[in-house]
């Protein structure tokens, strides 16, 4: 790295002295000026400072470059584009599958019957609200085409999210079993009707899930969902984020955003090095 940036390397850089005596003699030598290594060390420090300046110029980084804002725009644009693309793919599948008529509910009816029977067996301890909801779901799905099942499936997912928030784990498990049964019936119907449309349906679901859950339970998701993803918030996220957090951010950006993030990191380091301060030599160590 020193050769790359034209910085001279002293022997003690490659082989640092060990122990108190060695370090003392090195310090003494550097204080002796022309009689020791002081002049060489001073020359090296000047070269290191010049390397910092050259690096900043080569990267085209200044104090006012809006790299953080570019990151924010990239994240928002990337996620929006992914969701839009998934939505178009899903719409294409539904347009093909709807004319095929009513979707058989073989798996769904079996799943709802199991849940209702399980709650009935609990008698007074049974979850009457869950049983009523299961009944409404089954009646809403009856004689439904693919769009109807898709819409009710979305409602069931929202119900599951509400139960998760309420920490009702037993009801969550029962309702998830019904949702999985709906998925099976829809996929079986789609595969028998039009394999290509079925593939688009599965692919769109995966794309939606990836876009929404990539940042699950993360600071990035919180900032996006609350509309708080601003340049002021994204810089600390990059600087102090966990590896998993940074990976989520990376996956949520396009090439422009990733380059902006790279430059934002360097810009932040240059600020620490006092590079942008007037009449101050940059601190290469910082």
């Amino acid at each position: 790295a020193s050769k790359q940036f034209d910085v001279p390397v002293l022997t003690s850089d490659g082989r640092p002295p060990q122990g108190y005596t060695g370090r003392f003699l090195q310090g003494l030598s550097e204080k002796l000026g022309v009689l020791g290594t002081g002049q060489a060390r001073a020359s090296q420090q000047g070269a290191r400072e010049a390397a910092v300046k050259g690096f900043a110029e080569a990267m085209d980084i200044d104090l006012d470059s809006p790299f953080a804002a570019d990151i924010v725009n990239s994240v928002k644009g990337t996620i929006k584009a992914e969701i839009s693309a998934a939505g178009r793919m899903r719409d294409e599948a539904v347009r093909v599958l709807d004319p095929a008529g009513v979707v058989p509910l073989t798996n769904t009816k079996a799943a709802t019957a199991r849940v209702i029977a399980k709650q009935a067996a609990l008698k007074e301890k049974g979850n009457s609200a869950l049983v009523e909801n299961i009944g409404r779901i089954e009646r809403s799905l009856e004689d439904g085409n693919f769009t109807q099942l898709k819409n009710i499936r979305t409602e069931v997912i929202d119900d599951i999210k509400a139960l998760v928030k309420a920490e009702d784990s037993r009801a969550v498990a029962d309702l998830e079993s019904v949702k999985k049964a709906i998925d099976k019936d829809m996929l079986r119907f789609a595969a028998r009707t039009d394999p290509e449309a079925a593939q688009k349906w599965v692919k769109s679901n995966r794309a939606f899930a990836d876009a929404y859950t990539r940042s699950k339970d993360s600071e990035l998701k919180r900032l996006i969902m609350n509309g708080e993803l601003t340049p002021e918030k994204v810089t600390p996220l990059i600087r102090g984020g966990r590896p998993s957090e940074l990976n989520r951010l990376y996956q949520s950006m396009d090439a422009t955003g990733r380059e902006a993030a790279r430059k934002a990191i360097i810009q932040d380091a240059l600020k620490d090095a006092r590079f942008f301060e007037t009449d101050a030599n940059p601190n290469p160590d910082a």
Side-chain angles (χ1 to χ4, degrees):
S2 294
K3 289 179 181 178
Q4 181 182 350
F5 291 102
D6 295 323
V7 175
V9 180
L10 303 186
T11 302
S12 58
D13 294 325
R15 295 181 180 179
Q18 302 297 317
Y20 171 78
T21 302
R23 291 192 296 271
F24 172 78
L25 291 174
Q26 178 191 6
L28 179 61
S29 176
E30 292 179 1
K31 290 182 176 68
L32 289 175
V34 294
L35 299 177
T37 59
Q39 190 170 351
R41 184 64 74 186
S43 176
Q44 182 194 60
Q45 181 65 9
R48 293 174 77 224
E49 291 171 2
V52 173
K53 294 176 182 177
F55 182 60
E57 290 170 0
M59 292 297 297
D60 191 23
I61 293 175
D62 57 47
L63 181 61
D64 300 319
S65 296
F67 299 128
D70 292 340
I71 295 169
V72 172
N73 293 334
S74 175
V75 171
K76 290 180 177 179
T78 300
I79 292 178
K80 183 179 179 180
E82 289 177 0
I83 292 174
S84 296
R88 288 192 298 272
M89 190 184 304
R90 175 172 288 185
D91 290 343
E92 290 172 7
V94 172
R95 277 196 297 271
V96 173
L97 297 170
D98 266 355
V102 174
V103 180
L105 301 173
T106 308
N107 290 289
T108 302
K109 287 183 176 180
T112 55
R114 282 194 298 271
V115 173
I116 292 172
K118 174 185 172 182
Q119 295 302 321
L122 294 173
K123 297 183 178 181
E124 294 298 319
K125 293 290 289 181
N127 189 333
S128 58
L130 176 63
V131 171
E132 288 177 11
N133 191 24
I134 294 291
R136 287 194 297 270
I137 291 170
E138 187 172 355
R139 290 191 295 273
S140 299
L141 292 169
E142 198 69 45
D143 298 326
N145 62 5
F146 203 84
T147 290
Q148 179 67 5
L149 265 70
K150 174 180 72 70
N151 293 338
I152 300 304
R153 175 182 181 271
T154 300
E155 294 294 324
V156 173
I157 291 172
D158 288 341
D159 290 344
I160 291 171
K161 289 178 180 178
L163 290 173
V164 169
K165 197 170 183 179
E167 298 183 349
D168 190 346
S169 57
R170 286 187 293 179
V172 167
D174 286 336
L175 206 51
E176 281 183 340
S177 70
V178 173
K179 186 261 180 187
K180 289 177 182 177
I182 296 172
D183 286 342
K184 284 183 180 179
D185 285 332
M186 295 179 75
L187 185 56
R188 177 178 290 184
F189 175 81
R192 288 177 176 176
T193 303
D194 189 305
E196 185 179 350
Q199 191 175 17
K200 286 182 178 180
W201 169 253
V202 172
K203 198 171 180 180
S204 69
N205 283 333
R206 287 175 180 167
F208 272 119
D210 183 57
Y212 282 120
T213 64
R214 182 186 303 137
S215 305
K216 186 178 181 181
D217 300 327
S218 71
E219 180 68 5
L220 176 61
K221 180 184 178 185
R222 188 189 70 76
L223 293 175
I224 292 173
M225 295 306 173
N226 293 345
E228 298 176 3
L229 189 61
T230 62
E232 293 75 21
K233 296 287 180 65
V234 79
T235 302
L237 181 63
I238 290 176
R239 185 171 190 172
R242 300 183 301 274
S244 59
E245 195 78 48
L246 295 175
N247 184 56
R248 292 186 185 105
L249 182 61
Y250 180 84
Q251 295 299 331
S252 299
M253 289 188 291
D254 57 13
T256 301
R258 291 170 183 176
E259 179 64 13
R262 181 169 178 254
K263 290 187 175 183
I265 293 168
I266 298 168
Q267 184 186 56
D268 195 47
L270 290 171
K271 288 178 182 177
D272 283 348
R274 302 196 307 274
F275 174 77
F276 300 111
E277 293 182 17
T278 305
D279 299 328
N281 292 326
N283 181 345
D285 291 338

